[in-house]
Amino acid sequence: MITNDYLNRVYEGLAARNAHEPEFLQAVKEVLESIQPLVEKHPEYEQYGLIERLVEPERIITFRVPWVDDAGKVQVNRGYRIQFNSAIGPYKGGCRFHPSVNQSILKFLGFEQTFKNSLTTLPMGGGKGGSDFDPKGKSDMEVMRFCQSFMTELYRHIGQFVDCPAGDIGVGAREVGYMFGQYKRITTSFQGGMITGKGLTFGGSLARTQATGYGLCYFTAEALKCMRGDSFAGKTVVISGSGNVAIYATEKATELGAKVVAMSDSNGYIYDPNGIDLAYVKNLKEVRRGRIKEYADTHPGTTYVPDCRKIWEVPCDIALPCATQNELDEAGAKALVANGCTVVCEGANMPSTPAAVEVFLNNGILYGPAKAANAGGVATSGLEMTQNSERLSWTFEEVDSKLKGIMEGIFHASYNASVEAGSEGNLMVGANCAGFLKVATAMMAQGVTY
Ligand code: NDP
């Protein structure tokens, strides 16, 4: 609950102006609730309208994206870029291509990104973008024409010192490659750092593909070690989704000695008591772009349930939601607790509803919030930009060890901030406070600009 008068006024005003943006309001409310002790300690924030500025994006760009499908028919989608906060660096955040994309979802993602990027300790502001275009079922040529049209408008708003997009749901190496190519063509400038997640032959970083999933496991392992004196070894793990984050979280959790028994896509989930055959899932999802149901057809003893939200009923020690926002609700959280799960760390952005988070906190679950636990992706994007600026490529081991160090650092920064805020061990409060403080200090120092 927000009890501070100033924060209440800001939130009420925001809610009145953005009543049709539930995901954005959900993300803001969580942060404002967490940072109350800091705002009370710093009355100058109110005098400088700091929170009013923090919750309003610096700029929102929307545009038409026309493209021609394989049948010769003209299609029109809507493109967006939310440039949320540039206090500590150029805007940085992924592009999402999914039919559910709208302004509320991208504003919540851009807002969250601001604090996540701050936690990485790298100089990156917060942004997010995308389109309601659905790459599923489209040919490579259709995806290419869409990406080229999208970048033909977006290019004028971005650049390595301005705003640096990356991938997200529906945007992987293929889409990033097409967008980079079009940007280079239009600007006649090879700016490596203007987009990340690039192919390895033109400035991409080793370990970027693995970074979010691996980083999630590094964060979780450090939290388990420091807060529980425990590890992944011998644990049963449930991971939702079967995209980039889910696949590499499965890979690292397995490498650390756990058994991952369930994965999903938006149609349903699979439960394989023998442990997921990840080589099969990688081929299914990264190469053939098929449905998770096919796993059950080819793996005897596996159950397929055609309802992805039921995945939380699978008994496990550790749950890693890695699909999408609000995929884990109160009923899912209660099922996890009832079946003995004691750790939930978020690979997806805001996958747990506020009611689910309350269940975790009331039941002593070790809860790792997304903006801390999944920051490995953007951290490694930051490392990709560094390599591009240096015109050098680091080895996989070099990037991976920096990623591990950053994730462990994020855990400790969040834990220490939770102690300072009087909520020891509440990593949600800790991550929000630690992420906020750096951004707030930079905004205060720069005066009332944005
Ligand atoms: P992908 O597109 O690679 O995979 C997304 C997965 O989630 C797919 O299995 C997809 O199933 C499933 N999914 C998507 N939408 C829904 C939905 N509405 N309901 C149920 N399942 C759904 O995306 P990523 O793995 O890259 O991203 C997953 C999450 O992680 C997102 O929240 C993203 O913002 C976050 N994230 C990603 C980072 C990255 O580096 N990629 C960095 C930090 C956060 P289907 O194929 O059926 O759509």
Side-chain angles (χ1 to χ4, degrees):
M1 212 171 66
I2 302 177
T3 50
N4 175 278
D5 274 355
Y6 169 46
L7 291 177
N8 234 332
R9 260 181 287 120
V10 174
Y11 183 75
E12 290 306 320
L14 191 79
R17 284 201 314 282
N18 300 279
H20 56 294
E21 296 186 344
E23 294 87 359
F24 175 54
L25 294 176
Q26 181 184 336
V28 171
K29 194 168 187 204
E30 181 206 289
V31 171
L32 298 193
E33 282 172 353
S34 295
I35 62 171
Q36 298 193 87
L38 290 174
V39 171
E40 269 152 27
K41 236 192 256 172
H42 292 275
E44 69 276 17
Y45 288 168
E46 180 170 1
Q47 191 191 343
Y48 282 82
L50 183 91
I51 307 298
E52 291 89 326
R53 289 188 283 139
L54 190 78
V55 299
E56 191 67 30
E58 290 175 15
R59 195 171 298 103
I60 295 179
I61 299 149
T62 56
F63 50 95
R64 175 172 64 202
V65 189
W67 56 282
V68 181
D69 68 18
D70 285 346
K73 193 167 177 304
V74 175
Q75 303 282 348
V76 179
N77 286 97
R78 183 174 294 172
Y80 300 87
R81 189 73 190 162
I82 313 282
Q83 298 181 330
F84 218 109
N85 193 303
S86 61
I88 63 170
Y91 312 103
K92 174 95 196 123
C95 280
R96 177 177 293 192
F97 293 168
H98 193 271
S100 65
V101 162
N102 59 36
Q103 188 166 299
S104 172
I105 287 179
L106 295 181
K107 278 174 71 179
F108 116 64
L109 289 165
F111 181 72
E112 291 280 289
Q113 195 82 46
T114 302
F115 306 103
K116 181 189 307 191
N117 293 0
S118 162
L119 283 169
T120 66
T121 71
L122 303 176
M124 302 181 289
K128 200 82 189 186
S131 171
D132 56 2
F133 173 76
D134 187 359
K136 241 182 262 155
K138 305 287 190 304
S139 71
D140 275 357
M141 286 297 146
E142 288 177 321
V143 170
M144 183 179 76
R145 288 193 290 273
F146 174 81
C147 289
Q148 290 176 339
S149 180
F150 181 79
M151 187 50 79
T152 300
E153 176 57 33
L154 186 65
Y155 89 94
R156 71 189 83 244
H157 306 290
I158 62 174
Q160 61 172 329
F161 300 116
V162 183
D163 184 356
C164 319
D168 191 71
I169 291 179
V171 179
R174 174 181 63 169
E175 291 76 13
V176 167
Y178 292 149
M179 287 194 272
F180 177 77
Q182 185 71 352
Y183 182 88
K184 183 165 62 74
R185 178 186 186 191
I186 295 172
T187 60
T188 59
S189 142
F190 194 113
Q191 285 184 36
M194 57 66 60
I195 195 166
T196 54
K198 297 181 293 294
L200 294 178
T201 52
F202 53 97
S205 174
L206 285 163
R208 174 62 188 92
T209 306
Q210 293 83 355
T212 310
Y214 277 24
L216 170 64
C217 291
Y218 293 144
F219 177 94
T220 307
E222 187 69 4
L224 270 168
K225 186 174 91 180
C226 299
M227 292 172 73
R228 295 268 173 86
D230 207 344
S231 74
F232 267 105
K235 301 289 186 301
T236 299
V237 181
V238 163
I239 298 186
S240 63
S242 47
N244 172 266
V245 181
I247 285 176
Y248 292 96
T250 301
E251 185 164 285
K252 185 52 76 177
T254 308
E255 202 182 299
L256 294 175
K259 180 160 80 166
V260 180
V261 295
M263 294 183 86
S264 62
D265 61 22
S266 55
N267 295 119
Y269 78 84
I270 47 158
Y271 169 58
D272 183 349
N274 298 317
I276 295 288
D277 170 0
L278 191 61
Y280 180 89
V281 175
K282 276 189 183 175
N283 182 268
L284 175 71
K285 289 293 178 181
E286 295 182 336
V287 181
R288 293 197 284 121
R289 297 178 195 269
R291 308 306 300 161
I292 202 75
K293 180 180 185 303
E294 294 169 45
Y295 184 103
D297 299 339
T298 49
H299 290 72
T302 299
T303 317
Y304 174 72
V305 176
D307 180 352
C308 58
R309 297 185 84 89
K310 292 261 171 18
I311 192 172
W312 312 118
E313 293 175 7
V314 175
C316 63
D317 304 305
I318 300 173
L320 304 175
C322 294
T324 196
Q325 65 275 351
N326 291 328
E327 55 163 315
L328 204 177
D329 60 10
E330 186 178 4
K334 284 185 170 160
L336 284 171
V337 170
N339 287 326
C341 173
T342 59
V343 179
V344 178
C345 287
E346 298 178 332
N349 283 309
M350 205 169 75
S352 312
T353 64
V357 174
E358 214 173 299
V359 172
F360 301 150
L361 298 179
N362 290 338
N363 285 278
I365 297 277
L366 194 173
Y367 168 59
K371 63 172 72 68
N374 76 16
V378 73
T380 308
S381 280
L383 300 179
E384 181 174 329
M385 291 168 75
T386 307
Q387 292 168 76
N388 296 151
S389 297
E390 284 187 339
R391 303 195 191 294
L392 288 173
S393 297
W394 303 339
T395 63
F396 186 97
E397 290 69 29
E398 223 172 331
V399 181
D400 190 40
S401 91
K402 283 189 166 63
L403 166 66
K404 188 162 182 281
I406 289 172
M407 295 314 295
E408 290 171 356
I410 291 175
F411 164 73
H412 288 287
S414 303
Y415 186 86
N416 294 343
S418 79
V419 174
E420 266 173 51
S423 304
E424 181 169 355
N426 183 330
L427 300 177
M428 176 180 74
V429 167
N432 284 333
C433 287
F436 164 78
L437 203 55
K438 181 175 175 189
V439 175
T441 307
M443 286 175 75
M444 291 296 286
Q446 291 168 29
V448 181
T449 46
Y450 283 115

